[in-house]
Amino acid sequence: MLQEETLLLQELQSEKDKNAAFKKLISLYKERLYWHIRHIVKSHDDTDDVLQNTFIKIFKNINSFKGDSKLYSWMYRIATNEALTHIKRNSRIKNSSNEEVNQLAIDSLQSDVYFEGDDIQLKLQKAIATLPEKQQLVFNMKYFQELKYNELSEILETSEGALKASYHIAAKKIETYLKDN
């Protein structure tokens, strides 16, 4: 673990410094976690809700963080789980599959004032939506956030080889989708 991260963690786990350290943590990671979640749930409003839940969970559980992985890997794992839980909850509420909820989110991107993509970006998002959940995660984290396979491995708790295979398969499926549509 980096020295700055170790110091921040000590402050986060200290009752006296926890609040100030948490503000620092939010300013350091808010944008990265926002975009990570946004690529999963698609909607800006849903992303804000999931991000808030993520930070609440981080704040409540920071004392149980043991330092076995990097702090941001642990936070990404929480953000990922919160985003997936949000999608599952929405699919239960709407009585539809995760894929249908995902497709609705993609369809609403065109009217989302926070979506700044063009037609090509929208087409890419539609292609990504056709992938299974795990491939979507791997593709989004590798392609948009440019995470390395060793970082993905830590966050998703999967071997680098499996992640490389998932990314390769996802990229091929997206390529095929883009050619056919």
Side-chain angles (χ1 to χ4, degrees):
M1 210 179 334
L2 299 172
Q3 191 173 358
E4 302 98 39
E5 198 173 88
T6 305
L7 182 61
L8 180 60
L9 185 59
Q10 287 170 350
E11 291 171 355
L12 285 165
Q13 292 177 339
S14 148
E15 284 308 311
K16 155 174 108 63
D17 301 323
K18 187 173 188 172
N19 290 338
F22 197 70
K23 284 179 184 169
K24 190 189 313 180
L25 179 93
I26 290 172
S27 74
L28 284 172
Y29 293 104
K30 185 168 100 175
E31 189 173 339
R32 286 171 70 187
L33 288 175
Y34 171 90
W35 286 108
H36 171 63
I37 294 166
R38 178 75 188 258
H39 286 295
I40 299 170
V41 301
K42 310 295 183 237
S43 150
H44 167 73
D45 292 336
D46 288 348
T47 300
D48 277 348
D49 292 344
V50 173
L51 183 61
Q52 186 174 8
N53 291 343
T54 298
F55 278 119
I56 289 169
K57 210 163 232 175
I58 290 167
F59 186 82
K60 285 182 177 176
N61 295 298
I62 194 66
N63 288 331
S64 65
F65 176 70
K66 293 174 183 40
D68 299 338
S69 64
K70 291 181 182 150
L71 180 61
Y72 90 84
S73 297
W74 180 72
M75 293 188 313
Y76 264 64
R77 195 172 319 128
I78 291 171
T80 302
N81 291 336
E82 286 297 306
L84 295 176
T85 298
H86 176 81
I87 290 171
K88 287 179 180 114
R89 190 178 321 115
N90 271 359
S91 64
R92 273 197 313 272
I93 291 169
K94 293 177 176 152
N95 202 17
S96 54
S97 70
N98 291 357
E99 291 76 22
E100 289 169 323
V101 167
N102 206 1
Q103 193 54 53
L104 286 171
I106 293 291
D107 294 343
S108 69
L109 270 180
Q110 287 170 301
S111 59
D112 186 339
V113 295
Y114 296 101
F115 180 70
E116 296 174 353
D118 54 16
D119 289 342
I120 294 168
Q121 274 294 330
L122 195 58
K123 203 174 196 182
L124 176 60
Q125 289 301 323
K126 287 180 179 182
I128 293 168
T130 66
L131 299 173
E133 189 176 87
K134 179 90 170 191
Q135 287 176 10
Q136 282 185 39
L137 273 177
V138 173
F139 186 83
N140 282 327
M141 293 168 81
K142 183 82 180 117
Y143 183 81
F144 291 110
Q145 295 159 23
E146 300 174 350
L147 294 175
K148 293 176 178 65
Y149 285 110
N150 65 334
E151 294 169 320
L152 286 171
S153 177
E154 234 178 69
I155 295 165
L156 298 174
E157 298 177 321
T158 307
S159 74
E160 288 184 38
L163 292 167
K164 287 176 183 176
S166 283
Y167 183 78
H168 179 72
I169 292 166
K172 287 290 179 201
K173 287 179 181 177
I174 289 169
E175 188 180 320
T176 302
Y177 178 93
L178 294 175
K179 282 180 187 169
D180 295 345
N181 293 287

Coordinates of all heavy atoms in Angstrom, one line a residue, residues 90-148:
N90 N -34.0 -2.8 -9.0 CA -34.9 -2.2 -10.0 C -35.6 -3.3 -10.8 O -36.8 -3.1 -11.2 CB -34.1 -1.3 -11.0 CG -34.0 0.1 -10.5 OD1 -34.5 0.5 -9.4 ND2 -33.3 0.9 -11.2
S91 N -34.9 -4.3 -11.2 CA -35.5 -5.4 -12.0 C -36.6 -6.1 -11.2 O -37.7 -6.5 -11.7 CB -34.5 -6.4 -12.5 OG -33.9 -7.1 -11.5
R92 N -36.5 -6.2 -9.8 CA -37.5 -6.8 -9.0 C -38.7 -5.9 -8.9 O -39.9 -6.3 -9.1 CB -37.0 -7.1 -7.6 CG -36.3 -8.5 -7.4 CD -36.2 -8.9 -6.0 NE -35.7 -7.8 -5.1 CZ -34.4 -7.6 -4.8 NH1 -33.5 -8.4 -5.4 NH2 -34.0 -6.7 -4.0
I93 N -38.4 -4.6 -8.7 CA -39.5 -3.6 -8.6 C -40.3 -3.5 -9.9 O -41.5 -3.5 -9.9 CB -38.9 -2.2 -8.2 CG1 -38.4 -2.2 -6.8 CG2 -40.0 -1.1 -8.4 CD1 -37.6 -1.0 -6.4
K94 N -39.6 -3.5 -11.0 CA -40.3 -3.4 -12.3 C -40.7 -4.8 -12.9 O -41.2 -4.9 -14.0 CB -39.3 -2.7 -13.3 CG -39.1 -1.3 -13.0 CD -38.1 -0.6 -13.9 CE -38.0 0.9 -13.5 NZ -36.7 1.4 -13.8
N95 N -40.4 -5.8 -12.1 CA -40.8 -7.2 -12.4 C -40.3 -7.5 -13.8 O -41.0 -8.0 -14.7 CB -42.3 -7.4 -12.3 CG -42.7 -8.8 -12.2 OD1 -41.8 -9.6 -11.8 ND2 -43.9 -9.1 -12.5
S96 N -39.0 -7.3 -14.1 CA -38.4 -7.6 -15.3 C -36.9 -8.0 -15.1 O -36.4 -8.0 -14.0 CB -38.4 -6.3 -16.2 OG -37.8 -5.2 -15.6
S97 N -36.3 -8.5 -16.1 CA -34.9 -9.0 -16.0 C -33.9 -7.9 -15.9 O -34.2 -6.8 -16.2 CB -34.6 -9.9 -17.2 OG -34.4 -9.1 -18.3
N98 N -32.7 -8.2 -15.4 CA -31.6 -7.2 -15.3 C -31.4 -6.7 -16.7 O -31.1 -5.5 -16.9 CB -30.4 -7.9 -14.8 CG -30.4 -8.2 -13.3 OD1 -31.4 -8.0 -12.7 ND2 -29.4 -8.8 -12.8
E99 N -31.4 -7.5 -17.7 CA -31.2 -7.1 -19.1 C -32.2 -6.1 -19.6 O -31.9 -5.1 -20.2 CB -31.2 -8.3 -20.1 CG -30.0 -9.3 -19.9 CD -30.1 -10.2 -18.6 OE1 -31.2 -10.4 -18.1 OE2 -29.1 -10.6 -18.2
E100 N -33.5 -6.3 -19.2 CA -34.5 -5.4 -19.6 C -34.4 -4.0 -18.9 O -34.5 -3.0 -19.5 CB -35.9 -6.0 -19.3 CG -36.3 -7.1 -20.2 CD -37.6 -7.9 -19.7 OE1 -37.7 -8.0 -18.5 OE2 -38.4 -8.3 -20.5
V101 N -34.0 -4.1 -17.6 CA -33.8 -2.8 -16.9 C -32.6 -2.1 -17.5 O -32.6 -0.9 -17.7 CB -33.5 -3.1 -15.4 CG1 -32.9 -1.9 -14.6 CG2 -34.8 -3.6 -14.7
N102 N -31.6 -2.8 -17.8 CA -30.4 -2.3 -18.5 C -30.8 -1.6 -19.8 O -30.3 -0.5 -20.1 CB -29.3 -3.3 -18.7 CG -27.9 -2.8 -18.7 OD1 -27.7 -1.6 -18.6 ND2 -27.0 -3.6 -18.9
Q103 N -31.6 -2.3 -20.6 CA -32.0 -1.8 -21.9 C -32.9 -0.5 -21.7 O -32.7 0.5 -22.4 CB -32.8 -2.8 -22.7 CG -33.0 -2.5 -24.1 CD -31.7 -2.1 -24.9 OE1 -30.8 -2.9 -24.9 NE2 -31.7 -1.0 -25.5
L104 N -33.7 -0.5 -20.7 CA -34.5 0.8 -20.4 C -33.6 1.9 -20.1 O -33.8 3.1 -20.5 CB -35.5 0.5 -19.2 CG -36.7 -0.3 -19.5 CD1 -37.4 -0.6 -18.2 CD2 -37.6 0.4 -20.5
A105 N -32.5 1.6 -19.3 CA -31.6 2.7 -18.9 C -30.8 3.2 -20.1 O -30.6 4.4 -20.3 CB -30.5 2.1 -17.9
I106 N -30.5 2.3 -21.1 CA -29.8 2.7 -22.3 C -30.8 3.6 -23.1 O -30.4 4.6 -23.6 CB -29.4 1.5 -23.1 CG1 -28.3 0.7 -22.4 CG2 -28.9 1.9 -24.5 CD1 -27.0 1.3 -22.4
D107 N -32.0 3.1 -23.2 CA -33.0 3.9 -24.0 C -33.2 5.3 -23.4 O -33.4 6.3 -24.2 CB -34.3 3.2 -24.1 CG -34.2 1.8 -24.9 OD1 -33.3 1.7 -25.6 OD2 -35.1 1.0 -24.7
S108 N -33.1 5.4 -22.1 CA -33.3 6.7 -21.5 C -32.1 7.6 -21.6 O -32.2 8.8 -21.3 CB -33.7 6.6 -20.1 OG -32.7 6.1 -19.3
L109 N -30.9 7.1 -22.0 CA -29.7 7.9 -22.2 C -29.9 9.0 -23.1 O -29.4 10.1 -23.0 CB -28.5 7.0 -22.6 CG -27.7 6.4 -21.6 CD1 -26.6 5.6 -22.3 CD2 -27.1 7.4 -20.6
Q110 N -30.7 8.8 -24.2 CA -30.9 9.8 -25.2 C -31.5 11.1 -24.6 O -31.3 12.2 -25.1 CB -31.7 9.3 -26.4 CG -30.9 8.3 -27.2 CD -31.8 7.6 -28.2 OE1 -32.7 6.9 -27.9 NE2 -31.5 7.7 -29.5
S111 N -32.4 10.9 -23.7 CA -33.1 12.1 -23.1 C -32.4 12.5 -21.8 O -32.8 13.5 -21.2 CB -34.5 11.7 -22.8 OG -34.6 10.6 -21.9
D112 N -31.3 11.9 -21.4 CA -30.5 12.3 -20.2 C -29.7 13.5 -20.5 O -28.8 13.4 -21.3 CB -29.7 11.1 -19.7 CG -29.0 11.3 -18.4 OD1 -28.8 12.5 -18.0 OD2 -28.6 10.3 -17.8
V113 N -30.0 14.6 -19.8 CA -29.3 15.8 -20.0 C -27.8 15.7 -19.6 O -27.0 16.5 -20.1 CB -29.9 17.1 -19.3 CG1 -31.3 17.3 -19.8 CG2 -29.9 16.8 -17.8
Y114 N -27.4 14.7 -18.8 CA -26.1 14.6 -18.3 C -25.3 13.7 -19.3 O -24.1 13.5 -19.1 CB -26.0 14.0 -16.9 CG -26.6 14.9 -15.9 CD1 -27.9 14.7 -15.4 CD2 -25.9 16.0 -15.4 CE1 -28.4 15.6 -14.5 CE2 -26.4 16.8 -14.5 CZ -27.7 16.6 -14.0 OH -28.2 17.5 -13.1
F115 N -25.9 13.0 -20.3 CA -25.2 12.2 -21.2 C -24.7 13.1 -22.3 O -25.4 13.7 -23.0 CB -26.2 11.1 -21.8 CG -25.5 10.2 -22.8 CD1 -24.5 9.3 -22.4 CD2 -25.8 10.2 -24.1 CE1 -23.9 8.4 -23.3 CE2 -25.2 9.4 -25.0 CZ -24.2 8.5 -24.6
E116 N -23.4 13.0 -22.5 CA -22.8 13.9 -23.5 C -22.3 13.2 -24.7 O -21.6 13.7 -25.5 CB -21.6 14.7 -22.8 CG -22.0 15.6 -21.7 CD -20.9 16.2 -20.9 OE1 -19.7 15.9 -21.2 OE2 -21.2 17.1 -20.1
G117 N -22.6 11.9 -24.8 CA -22.2 11.2 -26.0 C -22.9 11.5 -27.2 O -24.0 12.0 -27.3
D118 N -22.3 11.1 -28.3 CA -22.9 11.2 -29.6 C -23.6 9.9 -30.0 O -23.7 9.0 -29.2 CB -21.9 11.7 -30.7 CG -20.7 10.8 -30.7 OD1 -20.8 9.6 -30.2 OD2 -19.7 11.2 -31.3
D119 N -24.0 9.8 -31.3 CA -24.7 8.6 -31.8 C -23.8 7.3 -31.6 O -24.2 6.3 -31.3 CB -25.1 8.7 -33.2 CG -26.3 9.7 -33.4 OD1 -27.0 9.9 -32.3 OD2 -26.5 10.1 -34.5
I120 N -22.5 7.5 -31.8 CA -21.5 6.4 -31.7 C -21.4 5.9 -30.3 O -21.4 4.7 -30.0 CB -20.1 6.8 -32.3 CG1 -20.2 7.1 -33.8 CG2 -19.1 5.8 -32.0 CD1 -19.0 7.8 -34.4
Q121 N -21.4 6.9 -29.4 CA -21.3 6.5 -27.9 C -22.6 5.8 -27.5 O -22.5 4.8 -26.8 CB -21.2 7.8 -27.1 CG -19.7 8.2 -26.8 CD -18.9 7.2 -26.0 OE1 -19.4 6.5 -25.2 NE2 -17.7 7.1 -26.3
L122 N -23.7 6.2 -28.0 CA -25.0 5.6 -27.7 C -25.0 4.2 -28.3 O -25.5 3.2 -27.6 CB -26.1 6.4 -28.3 CG -27.5 6.1 -27.8 CD1 -27.6 6.3 -26.2 CD2 -28.6 7.0 -28.4
K123 N -24.5 4.0 -29.5 CA -24.5 2.7 -30.1 C -23.6 1.8 -29.3 O -23.9 0.6 -29.1 CB -24.0 2.9 -31.6 CG -24.4 1.7 -32.5 CD -23.9 2.1 -33.9 CE -24.6 1.2 -34.9 NZ -24.2 1.5 -36.3
L124 N -22.4 2.3 -28.9 CA -21.5 1.5 -28.0 C -22.2 1.1 -26.8 O -22.1 -0.1 -26.3 CB -20.2 2.3 -27.7 CG -19.2 1.7 -26.8 CD1 -18.7 0.3 -27.4 CD2 -18.0 2.6 -26.6
Q125 N -22.9 2.0 -26.1 CA -23.6 1.7 -24.9 C -24.7 0.6 -25.1 O -24.8 -0.3 -24.3 CB -24.3 2.9 -24.2 CG -23.3 3.9 -23.6 CD -22.4 3.3 -22.5 OE1 -22.9 2.5 -21.8 NE2 -21.2 3.7 -22.5
K126 N -25.3 0.6 -26.3 CA -26.3 -0.4 -26.6 C -25.6 -1.7 -26.8 O -26.1 -2.8 -26.4 CB -27.1 0.0 -27.9 CG -28.1 1.1 -27.6 CD -28.9 1.5 -28.8 CE -29.9 2.6 -28.5 NZ -30.7 3.0 -29.6
A127 N -24.4 -1.7 -27.5 CA -23.7 -2.9 -27.7 C -23.2 -3.5 -26.3 O -23.4 -4.7 -26.1 CB -22.5 -2.6 -28.6
I128 N -22.8 -2.7 -25.4 CA -22.3 -3.2 -24.1 C -23.5 -3.8 -23.4 O -23.3 -4.8 -22.7 CB -21.7 -2.0 -23.3 CG1 -20.4 -1.6 -24.0 CG2 -21.4 -2.4 -21.9 CD1 -19.8 -0.3 -23.5
A129 N -24.7 -3.2 -23.5 CA -25.9 -3.7 -22.8 C -26.2 -5.1 -23.2 O -26.9 -5.8 -22.5 CB -27.0 -2.7 -23.0
T130 N -25.8 -5.5 -24.4 CA -26.1 -6.9 -24.8 C -25.2 -7.9 -24.2 O -25.5 -9.1 -24.3 CB -26.0 -7.0 -26.4 OG1 -24.6 -6.9 -26.7 CG2 -26.8 -6.0 -27.1
L131 N -24.2 -7.5 -23.5 CA -23.2 -8.4 -22.9 C -23.8 -9.0 -21.6 O -24.5 -8.3 -20.9 CB -21.9 -7.7 -22.6 CG -21.1 -7.2 -23.8 CD1 -19.9 -6.4 -23.3 CD2 -20.7 -8.3 -24.7
P132 N -23.3 -10.2 -21.2 CA -23.6 -10.6 -19.8 C -23.0 -9.7 -18.8 O -22.0 -9.0 -19.1 CB -23.0 -12.0 -19.8 CG -22.7 -12.4 -21.2 CD -22.6 -11.1 -22.0
E133 N -23.6 -9.7 -17.6 CA -23.2 -8.7 -16.5 C -21.7 -8.7 -16.3 O -21.1 -7.6 -16.2 CB -23.9 -9.1 -15.3 CG -23.8 -8.2 -14.1 CD -24.6 -8.6 -13.0 OE1 -24.1 -9.4 -12.1 OE2 -25.8 -8.2 -12.9
K134 N -21.0 -9.9 -16.2 CA -19.6 -9.9 -15.9 C -18.8 -9.3 -17.0 O -17.8 -8.5 -16.8 CB -19.2 -11.4 -15.6 CG -17.7 -11.6 -15.4 CD -17.5 -11.5 -13.9 CE -16.0 -12.0 -13.6 NZ -15.8 -12.2 -12.2
Q135 N -19.1 -9.6 -18.3 CA -18.4 -9.0 -19.4 C -18.6 -7.5 -19.5 O -17.7 -6.8 -19.8 CB -18.8 -9.7 -20.7 CG -18.3 -11.1 -20.8 CD -18.8 -11.8 -22.1 OE1 -19.5 -11.2 -23.0 NE2 -18.6 -13.1 -22.2
Q136 N -19.8 -7.1 -19.1 CA -20.1 -5.6 -19.1 C -19.1 -4.9 -18.1 O -18.5 -3.9 -18.4 CB -21.5 -5.3 -18.7 CG -22.5 -5.5 -19.8 CD -23.9 -5.1 -19.3 OE1 -24.0 -4.0 -18.6 NE2 -24.9 -5.8 -19.7
L137 N -19.0 -5.5 -16.9 CA -18.2 -5.0 -15.9 C -16.7 -4.9 -16.3 O -16.1 -3.9 -16.2 CB -18.2 -5.8 -14.6 CG -19.3 -5.6 -13.6 CD1 -19.2 -6.6 -12.5 CD2 -19.2 -4.2 -13.1
V138 N -16.2 -6.0 -16.8 CA -14.8 -6.1 -17.3 C -14.6 -5.1 -18.4 O -13.6 -4.4 -18.4 CB -14.5 -7.5 -17.7 CG1 -13.1 -7.6 -18.3 CG2 -14.5 -8.5 -16.5
F139 N -15.5 -5.1 -19.4 CA -15.3 -4.2 -20.5 C -15.3 -2.7 -20.1 O -14.4 -2.0 -20.4 CB -16.3 -4.4 -21.6 CG -16.1 -3.6 -22.8 CD1 -15.2 -4.1 -23.8 CD2 -16.7 -2.4 -23.0 CE1 -14.9 -3.3 -24.9 CE2 -16.4 -1.6 -24.1 CZ -15.5 -2.0 -25.1
N140 N -16.3 -2.4 -19.3 CA -16.4 -1.0 -18.8 C -15.1 -0.5 -18.0 O -14.6 0.6 -18.2 CB -17.6 -0.8 -18.0 CG -18.9 -0.6 -18.8 OD1 -18.8 -0.1 -19.9 ND2 -20.0 -1.1 -18.3
M141 N -14.7 -1.4 -17.1 CA -13.6 -1.0 -16.2 C -12.3 -1.0 -17.0 O -11.4 -0.1 -16.8 CB -13.5 -2.0 -15.1 CG -14.7 -1.9 -14.1 SD -14.8 -3.2 -13.0 CE -13.6 -2.7 -11.7
K142 N -12.1 -1.9 -18.0 CA -10.9 -1.9 -18.8 C -10.9 -0.8 -19.9 O -9.9 0.0 -20.0 CB -10.7 -3.3 -19.5 CG -9.5 -3.4 -20.2 CD -8.3 -3.8 -19.3 CE -7.0 -4.0 -20.1 NZ -6.0 -3.0 -19.7
Y143 N -12.0 -0.7 -20.6 CA -12.1 0.3 -21.7 C -12.2 1.7 -21.3 O -11.5 2.6 -21.7 CB -13.2 -0.1 -22.6 CG -13.4 0.7 -23.9 CD1 -12.6 0.5 -25.0 CD2 -14.3 1.8 -23.9 CE1 -12.7 1.3 -26.1 CE2 -14.4 2.5 -25.1 CZ -13.6 2.3 -26.1 OH -13.8 3.1 -27.3
F144 N -13.2 2.0 -20.4 CA -13.5 3.4 -20.0 C -12.6 3.9 -18.9 O -12.2 5.1 -18.9 CB -14.9 3.5 -19.6 CG -15.9 3.4 -20.7 CD1 -16.7 2.3 -20.8 CD2 -16.0 4.4 -21.7 CE1 -17.6 2.2 -21.9 CE2 -16.9 4.2 -22.8 CZ -17.7 3.1 -22.9
Q145 N -12.3 3.0 -17.9 CA -11.5 3.5 -16.8 C -10.0 3.1 -16.9 O -9.2 3.5 -16.1 CB -12.1 2.9 -15.5 CG -13.5 3.5 -15.3 CD -14.3 2.7 -14.3 OE1 -13.8 1.9 -13.5 NE2 -15.6 2.8 -14.5
E146 N -9.7 2.4 -18.0 CA -8.3 2.0 -18.3 C -7.6 1.4 -17.1 O -6.4 1.6 -16.8 CB -7.6 3.2 -18.8 CG -8.2 3.8 -20.0 CD -7.5 5.1 -20.5 OE1 -6.7 5.7 -19.8 OE2 -7.8 5.5 -21.6
L147 N -8.3 0.5 -16.3 CA -7.7 -0.2 -15.2 C -6.9 -1.3 -15.8 O -7.2 -1.9 -16.8 CB -8.8 -0.7 -14.3 CG -9.6 0.3 -13.5 CD1 -10.7 -0.4 -12.7 CD2 -8.7 1.1 -12.6
K148 N -5.8 -1.6 -15.1 CA -4.9 -2.8 -15.5 C -5.6 -4.1 -15.0 O -6.4 -4.1 -14.1 CB -3.6 -2.6 -14.9 CG -2.8 -1.4 -15.4 CD -1.5 -1.2 -14.7 CE -0.7 0.0 -15.2 NZ -1.3 1.3 -15.1

